[in-house]
Amino acid sequence: MKRIYLDYASTTPVRTEVVEVMKTAYLSIKQTADIDSVSTLLKQTIKGHEKDQIFYMGSGSEANQSALMSLTKSSQLKKGKVLLSAIEHPSVRRAQSIYEDMGYEVVFIPSDSKGLVDLEAFYSLYDSSVVWVSVMLVNNEIGSRQPVEAIGAFLENTDTFFHVDAIQALGKITIDNTAIKADAMSFSAHKIYGPKGLGILYLKHTIKWVPLVPEATLNTPYILGFGEALRLIEHEKEAERPRLMALKKQMIEGLVALDLGITPVGDCSSEIGIVTLMFENRSSDALLIQYDFKGIALSAGSACSSGAISASPVLLAMGLDEKSAKSCIRFSIGHYTTTSDIEVVLETTKSLLKK
Amino acid sequence: MERNNRVIVGMSGGVDSTVAAFKLKEMGYDVIGVNMRLWQDDFLEEEHFMKDGGCCSLSSVEDARRVCEKIGIPFYALDFKGVFKEKVVDYFIDAYHEGETPNPCIACNKYVKFEALLEKAHELGAYYVATGHYAKILFDESLSRYVIKKSNAERKDQTYALYNLTQEQIKHILMPLGDFESKEEVRAIAAELDVQMSRKSDSQEICFVPDQDYVGFLKRNSDINVPKGQFVDSEGEVLGEHQGIIHYTVGQRKGLGMTFGKPMYVIDIDKNTGEVVLGSNEEVHSKELFADLVNFIPFDHLTEPYTCTAKVRYSAKEAACTLYPEDNGVRVVFEVPQRAVTPGQAVVFYKDDYLVGGGTIRRNR
């Protein structure tokens, strides 16, 4: 049975071209210049300043947490309030207790029912004691694009640092930091067909970086693999985006048209191949297993390593009740998804739900 | 639902459930491994998060996944936190505040493993749920009922926690470890599988209170104020002050916080007066008890006195007794007085090697 993978938001297969670059890198020793060119490519991609800084680490989750930690270590961050959006990835949301142990007060910015950070709430939560704000660019469950430009503009002439988790956005939509005005951004290689185990942190050149673990040797093959993955996805982006959007439309409209109680959750209008669908009166765990039996790999919310399905905190933050949240499944498409895959998904869904 | 050979096995990643799944697969069943995610309190969840650094990388889940891969069966983790919290944890907390000593494993079997998991199994097209319990399930033609028999691995017998199952539940349950002669035999098969398994001890500790500090757990998870109270003797004479009724269980001798010149045991707890009654070794023994929420396996109801044996707690020895049917329950009269008959605990009845049933021990009827 050919398996159909619709969980690209969790992780992506490594592309052959990337594997080739990594193979070559493993067989040579000195490539400092090559690493610099990857950093330059990333800065150009997000319209950063040429003096801005790029740091490589073990995961996107690490990148999400280490920015605040590094600034604390170097005393650039005063003690005060940290605002995190309520729909951040767990690596940001669940850092709450770590930040609190470090002496910060953590406050969550609520989300509206569409899965968009509530700007009015943000403005009213903000005061001069806020030292740090973290809001993601694209939500990993809903695919909703957050109003980060408004937040960046609001924070521009303040002392508050602005961090943007851009892990789900890189390579898929345009990221323009001259408009977002983030001080820090995080990325992950394995969401763009690069290797797992590489997170990337971008910091504005005005910020001093103190490594949390000094003297670490860089993982050159991973970094060069990431560079190749980024080059490919950026090169193909303009052609790939309309193709993926057509597939997303085919999938959502097709599933809704089955008239079996399936509805998209929140704002699914973004140009990101992620959508969460609610299956009326069904439980997502049993459905996921049934899809898996039929060869379709999906995910309910942010897939933790255990694969266990609790009600998604993101969906709860959007105002869904526990039962509704546990009837939702995330579908995410990517480079290898085809029209016929979507047709199989529609057929399979029909046969599963009509039983 | 129509009978089929698909079976959901609750996998902890430990030896027993692993061998159960392996054996069922060898017998030709269509086996699916499931790890049940159960509720833990925030304190422990956070401790776990800090320690393991993952959003939910509970090690038992990874162990279960690994053994399923090795056996060659599909594996899924499923969330049972809600039902577990409501039917097991809340019951556990409430019972202590009632001055009782609950048995959460029995509630878990009744409402979680053989109700919620069984429902999920049916949703997935499986007729059966299997577990690594050491017990035998048989169909008795003459009674036209399913019966439960003790396992030959006597020391490991786990029928005590199964007395509450209904015929409709038992019909859908497989317990492949019941046929093993000993735990060693099970371990030998596990060793052949050559895969790392979790090494949880066989002790009867409560899974959601892994640090064994149930008092700390009760305080963290309940708003109910537990006032200090008085130790009294059976005559009502005040002997001293105690820390609050949730700290004590019938039969307890250690940890009373004071000495009395002779061994003293908790013989009763009165939640209305807040008194903990202490007494001698003789006074901690009872010749009879009343139990309600009674369930019988080989028959529906008790209609006349019934001679059998009974255990007043998991670790107790079976003792000869007679059951007398009463309104809403049974009266159990023992031949020899039993130590620490504890309200909230289960009394479980046996006839020879068969599990007859059981009920919840109550202070009064």
Side-chain angles (χ1 to χ4, degrees), chain B residues 108-123:
Chain B
C108 180
N109 280 337
K110 181 173 168 65
Y111 295 109
V112 185
K113 285 192 187 135
F114 300 119
E115 190 172 299
L117 179 63
L118 190 57
E119 270 170 29
K120 200 58 87 175
H122 292 341
E123 259 183 83

Side-chain angles (χ1 to χ4, degrees), chain B residues 9-305:
Chain B
V9 186
M11 305 287 290
S12 66
V15 170
D16 292 339
S17 54
T18 300
V19 173
F22 175 74
K23 183 135 189 263
L24 289 166
K25 186 170 185 237
E26 276 201 325
M27 290 162 79
Y29 284 95
D30 173 11
V31 185
I32 298 163
V34 160
N35 182 267
M36 303 175 75
R37 295 293 312 281
L38 305 176
W39 178 96
Q40 343 178 38
D41 76 337
D42 291 343
F43 174 76
L44 295 164
E45 187 114 348
E46 199 54 43
E47 196 168 73
H48 151 77
F49 174 73
M50 299 306 289
K51 202 164 58 199
D52 296 346
C55 49
C56 45
S57 57
L58 268 181
S59 63
S60 78
V61 179
E62 292 314 312
D63 288 340
R65 184 193 307 282
R66 194 180 318 109
V67 296
C68 286
E69 266 175 32
K70 184 78 183 190
I71 299 171
I73 58 171
F75 170 80
Y76 305 97
L78 292 178
D79 179 19
F80 290 95
K81 287 178 185 166
V83 60
F84 188 78
K85 172 73 167 59
E86 185 193 337
K87 300 287 191 184
V88 182
V89 179
D90 289 349
Y91 143 77
F92 177 82
I93 294 170
D94 293 346
Y96 269 108
H97 288 288
E98 285 296 313
E100 299 194 337
T101 305
N103 187 322
C105 298
I106 289 170
C108 180
N109 280 337
K110 181 173 168 65
Y111 295 109
V112 185
K113 285 192 187 135
F114 300 119
E115 190 172 299
L117 179 63
L118 190 57
E119 270 170 29
K120 200 58 87 175
H122 292 341
E123 259 183 83
L124 298 175
Y127 186 82
Y128 293 110
V129 154
T131 62
H133 280 94
Y134 286 77
K136 290 186 200 187
I137 292 173
L138 307 163
F139 186 75
D140 187 312
E141 300 286 348
S142 65
L143 295 172
S144 239
R145 288 176 79 97
Y146 289 89
V147 291
I148 298 178
K149 204 179 167 192
K150 279 191 231 166
S151 113
N152 294 344
E154 175 77 36
R155 259 182 328 114
K156 283 291 303 176
D157 173 61
Q158 291 170 342
T159 55
Y160 178 82
L162 300 173
Y163 78 83
N164 230 342
L165 299 179
T166 64
Q167 289 292 309
E168 189 52 37
Q169 287 173 311
I170 304 172
K171 186 166 113 182
H172 294 284
I173 302 172
L174 300 174
M175 291 186 174
L177 296 193
D179 296 328
F180 284 88
E181 294 297 323
S182 68
K183 173 97 185 185
E184 286 61 45
E185 214 181 306
V186 173
R187 284 214 186 88
I189 293 184
E192 270 175 49
L193 284 172
D194 190 28
V195 53
Q196 190 198 321
M197 293 177 205
S198 25
R199 283 181 210 189
K200 271 191 279 174
S201 64
D202 285 344
S203 71
Q204 287 303 302
E205 69 187 39
I206 296 162
C207 69
F208 52 92
V209 194
D211 61 1
Q212 315 254 32
D213 175 18
Y214 75 91
V215 174
F217 175 88
L218 292 170
K219 286 183 174 164
R220 282 198 302 277
N221 289 285
S222 169
D223 301 331
I224 302 174
N225 181 39
V226 183
K228 291 186 177 180
Q230 286 174 329
F231 283 127
V232 296
D233 66 15
S234 46
E235 306 294 319
E237 191 93 7
V238 176
L239 303 173
E241 187 184 60
H242 70 69
Q243 298 301 307
I245 59 167
I246 62 165
H247 290 75
Y248 308 97
T249 178
V250 170
Q252 180 178 344
R253 179 186 160 190
K254 291 180 182 160
L256 298 180
M258 52 194 298
T259 53
F260 304 94
K262 59 172 182 174
M264 291 291 267
Y265 302 84
V266 174
I267 61 168
D268 201 4
I269 296 167
D270 188 336
K271 74 143 187 162
N272 296 318
T273 62
E275 286 172 346
V276 171
V277 186
L278 303 181
S280 64
N281 184 45
E282 198 176 292
E283 287 174 296
V284 80
H285 285 73
S286 322
K287 194 159 163 65
E288 62 172 84
L289 63 83
F290 175 77
D292 68 359
L293 305 175
V294 175
N295 181 58
F296 292 104
I297 294 181
F299 43 84
D300 280 334
H301 304 286
L302 192 66
T303 48
E304 53 190 40

Side-chain angles (χ1 to χ4, degrees), chain A residues 113-287:
Chain A
S113 61
K114 291 179 177 167
L116 296 169
V117 166
D118 183 340
L119 278 178
E120 290 309 316
F122 165 70
Y123 297 140
S124 63
L125 282 172
Y126 186 85
D127 60 41
S128 57
S129 71
V130 174
V131 294
W132 184 273
V133 175
S134 253
V135 176
M136 66 204 331
L137 181 44
V138 168
N139 179 267
N140 55 309
E141 294 183 32
I142 305 299
S144 47
R145 189 191 188 286
Q146 304 302 316
V148 286
E149 288 85 355
I151 295 169
F154 181 82
L155 296 175
E156 193 180 4
N157 294 314
T158 67
D159 291 335
T160 308
F161 287 94
F162 182 32
H163 165 251
V164 172
D165 166 359
I167 288 172
Q168 293 289 355
L170 186 65
K172 289 150 204 170
I173 56 171
T174 304
I175 303 177
D176 179 356
N177 203 33
T178 60
I180 299 171
K181 303 185 195 325
D183 300 295
M185 266 197 222
S186 12
F187 306 97
S188 172
H190 78 108
K191 306 281 192 198
I192 61 162
Y193 312 92
K196 292 171 194 26
L198 186 76
I200 305 99
L201 179 67
Y202 158 90
L203 281 186
K204 272 216 162 125
H205 61 279
T206 46
I207 297 171
K208 182 172 177 291
W209 167 255
V210 178
L212 299 172
V213 182
E215 310 297 337
T217 302
L218 289 177
N219 191 334
T220 314
Y222 279 25
I223 296 168
L224 300 190
F226 165 68
E228 178 64 8
L230 180 59
R231 191 189 65 76
L232 280 168
I233 202 167
E234 282 296 321
H235 179 71
E236 295 168 359
K237 191 166 72 184
E238 293 315 313
E240 183 74 344
R241 194 163 46 196
R243 188 186 77 86
L244 286 175
M245 287 313 97
L247 290 174
K248 182 177 174 181
K249 186 163 181 277
Q250 179 196 358
M251 181 169 70
I252 297 175
E253 287 180 359
L255 287 170
V256 171
L258 292 176
D259 202 19
L260 293 168
I262 304 174
T263 43
V265 178
D267 174 19
C268 57
S269 66
S270 79
E271 292 182 303
I272 295 284
I274 298 175
V275 63
T276 287
L277 294 153
M278 192 191 297
F279 290 68
E280 196 179 69
N281 295 325
R282 296 277 173 165
S283 58
S284 53
D285 51 5
L287 270 177

